[in-house]
Amino acid sequence: MNRLRKIVPLLLILTLALSATMSYGAVTVTPASGLCLNVSPGGYTGIGNIVIDENNNNDIANQVNGTIILTAPAGVQFLAGTGTVTYTGSRNITSASIVVAAGTITVTFSCGGTNRDDRITIGGIQARGTIAGASGNIYRTGGTASISGDASGGGVDHGALTSNNTGVTTRASRLARSAD
């Protein structure tokens, strides 16, 4: 019993020392920013880019046809069929495509490794309010892509939208999340 009392504190110190040196990666998500005017049936206006940027080379896992599904907040809609997705060339991401529907943005991409710093930029998205007074954030609500710090349902802000009688506005904020 006496021997156990000496070993337990040493094991605790060793465990704490090892966990303090572990590195947890997480992407940085820069939410959409800009100004979206009009409440339906008015026209759409661009909301700015959404950027998912690796902080560690392995934040975006090696995967084929991984998907990210972003959802518009209630009372806001995207202009279906518009939008682009780009990625930093000559790195690990080898392809990307986008499908924009009224309520969702779906990005599909393939990543062939984890040894280089990657960035995904979603641009050209247009939005408008469907009702005055609607407010909410664009969140990742689905998809199969493994991205450290930007999990489906993880609550990461990809852009805040608020509609009123004069239109929809977005705000920009920078949010880095660490893996849990």
Side-chain angles (χ1 to χ4, degrees):
M1 185 69 162
N2 196 17
R3 187 181 258 175
L4 187 60
R5 284 185 184 174
K6 291 179 182 179
I7 293 174
V8 169
L10 289 174
L11 290 174
L12 180 60
I13 290 170
L14 181 61
T15 302
L16 290 173
L18 288 175
S19 65
T21 61
M22 291 181 186
S23 175
Y24 295 100
V27 295
T28 297
V29 175
T30 304
S33 62
L35 179 65
C36 299
L37 299 175
N38 303 315
V39 173
S40 182
Y44 294 85
T45 303
I47 65 170
N49 292 340
I50 299 168
V51 180
I52 302 169
D53 193 10
E54 282 187 311
N55 289 309
N56 293 310
N57 291 348
N58 61 352
D59 289 343
I60 298 175
N62 188 5
Q63 53 203 306
V64 176
N65 295 327
T67 57
I68 302 166
I69 300 173
L70 303 176
T71 300
V76 175
Q77 67 184 46
F78 301 123
L79 178 57
T82 64
T84 61
V85 61
T86 58
Y87 54 92
T88 306
S90 300
R91 306 249 174 119
N92 295 311
I93 296 177
T94 57
S95 66
S97 63
I98 189 168
V99 175
V100 179
T104 60
I105 301 166
T106 302
V107 173
T108 303
F109 70 94
S110 293
C111 184
T114 58
N115 63 332
R116 296 186 179 140
D117 184 31
D118 289 293
R119 175 184 294 192
I120 298 170
T121 302
I122 301 165
I125 303 299
Q126 297 185 36
R128 70 177 177 189
T130 57
I131 58 173
S135 182
N137 293 39
I138 301 169
Y139 289 115
R140 180 173 175 197
T141 57
T144 61
S146 177
I147 301 174
S148 179
D150 192 14
S152 177
V156 177
D157 177 11
H158 290 75
L161 303 172
T162 303
S163 71
N164 55 39
N165 290 333
T166 60
V168 178
T169 59
T170 66
R171 69 161 165 75
S173 65
R174 213 162 155 84
L175 176 64
R177 304 236 343 185
S178 60
D180 298 323

